[in-house]
Amino acid sequence: MRRVDGTISATRKPPPACEKTTVVSRTGPRRSESVRLAVLHAADDLLVERGFAALTIEGIAQRAGVAKQTIYRWWKSKVDILLDTLTDDAREALEWRADESRGVEETLTSHLQRVADFFEEPAGQVLLALLGHAQLDSETAASLRAGFLKEQRERDIAGLRDLLARDQDLTFDDRTLDHLVDLLLGPLYYRVLVSGSPIDKELVETTSRLVLALAREPSTRNP
């Protein structure tokens, strides 16, 4: 996949040529994994080039080299296509990576930097477009929250729980962990969604340091 700056990103990796995968979507079976990936690649490339409003099924079909009827057989709308491409790309890009050779703060900072980098990728632009559209369309909001956002939230809570367990055996109840994830990711989402500014290294490092400091406070831990 291309980055916003035109360079090649390894976020989405195509399957080996010999691999044949039967994929089932919310609208029925898909005949070809290669065609599915062509459609997803076309959708996020066109989103970056033209924006959400100008993105059409016709344009996606033309860029992917498939019939429009094929797309409608698998997806109901461009929003469904974008939800699928977001799910595919974000699974690896936003993964929490355990690295015992690094300290807790370094590991947390590294993860936040990957989140920051994600927003510069086409997949991050897809997420921002869907979040924006969700403010105007209740069906998109419901699909986004019940699918990608819910699943990513669960991964973030589990990842932070595992990381904090390495730090002085810190353990937290679900409610406290939920709040810590808000504090960890909130500044990054605020920066890109509200101020529209890049997420710089200072914000990443400061956020990581402050969240860890709060987690280590005796009053924050489980009784």
Side-chain angles (χ1 to χ4, degrees), residues 125-139:
Q125 299 300 305
V126 169
L127 175 56
L128 295 179
L130 287 171
L131 287 170
H133 186 62
Q135 307 310 304
L136 305 174
D137 184 82
S138 59
E139 185 175 347

Side-chain angles (χ1 to χ4, degrees), residues 92-191:
E92 180 178 348
L94 299 180
E95 176 187 14
W96 285 74
R97 301 171 187 173
D99 187 351
E100 299 293 337
S101 67
R102 291 182 169 186
V104 170
E105 183 172 335
E106 185 182 3
T107 301
L108 186 58
T109 301
S110 177
H111 177 73
L112 284 186
Q113 187 59 57
R114 285 198 303 276
V115 176
D117 293 342
F118 171 77
F119 283 115
E120 298 298 322
E121 299 283 346
Q125 299 300 305
V126 169
L127 175 56
L128 295 179
L130 287 171
L131 287 170
H133 186 62
Q135 307 310 304
L136 305 174
D137 184 82
S138 59
E139 185 175 347
T140 298
S143 296
L144 188 58
R145 289 168 181 158
F148 169 76
L149 291 178
K150 178 177 181 291
E151 293 166 4
Q152 186 58 44
R153 184 70 173 193
E154 292 169 352
R155 288 190 287 267
D156 288 334
I157 290 174
L160 185 59
R161 177 189 288 114
D162 291 344
L163 181 62
L164 292 177
R166 288 174 45 194
D167 187 34
Q168 306 173 34
D169 293 323
L170 298 180
T171 59
F172 303 89
D173 58 35
D174 291 343
R175 184 169 180 271
T176 301
L177 270 171
D178 201 51
H179 290 166
L180 288 173
V181 169
D182 284 342
L183 294 171
L184 184 68
L185 297 174
L188 277 62
Y189 276 79
Y190 182 90
R191 178 68 65 88

